[in-house]
Amino acid sequence: MAYETIIVEIEDYVATIRLNRPEALNALNAKLMDELSRALAEADRSDKVRCMIVTGSEKAFAAGADIKEMSEKSFTDVYLDNLFTGPTEKIMAVRKPIIAAVSGYALGGGCELAMLCDFIIAADTAKFGQPEINLGIVAGIGGTQRLTRFVGKAKAMDMNLTGRFMDAAEAERSGLVSRVVPAAKLMAEATGAAKKIAEKSLLATMVVKEAVNRSYETTLREGLLFERQTFYSLFATEDQKEGMAAFLEKREPQFRDK
Ligand code: CO8
């Protein structure tokens, strides 16, 4: 499918989706959010894809929602349009793992988009922030909610109230990102991680995503019950037999997603 604001490449069961509005530091306009969410949904359905990467440019993952596009809108417009809600819900519904590979600015909606992915690998140049406060608004797709769960109240308040940026080292210390690598190695690192995930049983990687995300939505006891049921249920799969047999026979497993 042809897109105007993103570039999609599929190789070795990994779909890499690059945000591509260089003239606006990949600012998220309605078209980009629509195309991105459609591309992710399509990759989710494709049997050629087992893991996805969302990335931007060296200078910017995304510098936030498109301020030019938003500036003319009224309450009625954004409320009736459900600004970004549809695409956000679509991204949340993706069941295969998504890695955000972040270089440069990940601000406002850009930081929130990275957090909508399953984990973030950052270049040492990455800068995260929720500077909406400087525009007289607040975060709209997770900057006060997901960020608080990821980095804790103190830093989430600080970032949302002052609008300051967090560099890659602080983001790693705070639990916002899983790894930080030199900028030149970002895509190799993200692709390596995605290929590793793509080699596993898809059933198991999808269950991991569902179970970890469940931990944010429920109590520990309910989450543990959910985990236990999913653990048991994977014993009904051929991939469990194959994974364990391969270990015992000292060979690589051949998972068939069955
Ligand atoms: N929207 C539109 N255009 C942008 C944006 C943006 N968010 N960010 C940068 N641009 C454009 C600039 O206007 C500029 O265009 P031009 O060359 O035509 O003037 C071009 O990109 C390059 O930007 P700069 O010249 O500013 O580059 P600098 O290197 O000097 O600065 C910064 C980089 C610091 C990233 C700076 O561009 C900046 O502060 N950008 C805005 C960051 C921001 O405030 N982001 C939050 C936006 S609000 C938001 O995300 C709300 C999310 C709500 C979710 C949806 C609700 C449901």
Side-chain angles (χ1 to χ4, degrees), residues 73-243:
K73 293 198 187 284
S74 66
F75 165 77
T76 316
D77 296 332
V78 296
Y79 186 77
L80 292 183
D81 273 7
N82 248 345
L83 182 69
F84 283 5
T85 300
T88 304
E89 295 289 335
K90 254 193 209 161
I91 296 171
M92 286 169 65
V94 171
R95 298 178 70 204
K96 292 174 187 166
I98 312 173
I99 300 172
V102 174
S103 177
Y105 297 110
L107 305 177
C111 185
E112 296 171 297
L113 172 61
M115 291 189 290
L116 268 171
C117 298
D118 297 308
F119 65 99
I120 303 173
I121 299 181
D124 51 7
T125 56
K127 287 187 178 61
F128 299 88
Q130 300 293 158
E132 289 92 337
I133 195 85
N134 298 329
L135 302 170
I137 58 167
V138 299
I141 53 170
T144 67
Q145 301 302 304
R146 286 196 183 87
L147 186 68
T148 307
R149 284 166 167 78
F150 297 168
V151 305
K153 180 184 170 190
K155 281 187 189 286
M157 279 285 189
D158 183 357
M159 288 172 71
N160 277 284
L161 286 172
T162 68
R164 82 167 172 91
F165 300 164
M166 189 184 256
D167 66 17
E170 185 182 3
E172 188 180 29
R173 262 197 329 272
S174 312
L176 178 58
V177 311
S178 70
R179 323 177 187 181
V180 177
V181 294
K185 299 201 169 136
L186 177 66
M187 288 320 290
E189 187 79 12
T191 305
K195 283 187 182 166
K196 241 191 184 110
I197 292 167
E199 284 168 8
K200 319 285 184 210
S201 165
L202 185 61
L203 294 164
T205 62
M206 287 171 65
V207 165
V208 167
K209 171 166 179 159
E210 195 177 353
V212 174
N213 282 334
R214 179 66 70 100
S215 75
Y216 282 99
E217 307 286 349
T218 191
T219 62
L220 179 60
R221 181 166 287 274
E222 289 302 317
L224 286 168
L225 280 173
F226 180 78
E227 180 186 80
R228 191 199 304 169
Q229 289 311 320
T230 56
F231 171 71
Y232 289 159
S233 67
L234 287 175
F235 281 72
T237 67
E238 289 178 21
D239 282 351
Q240 173 262 340
K241 306 283 175 288
E242 167 61 11

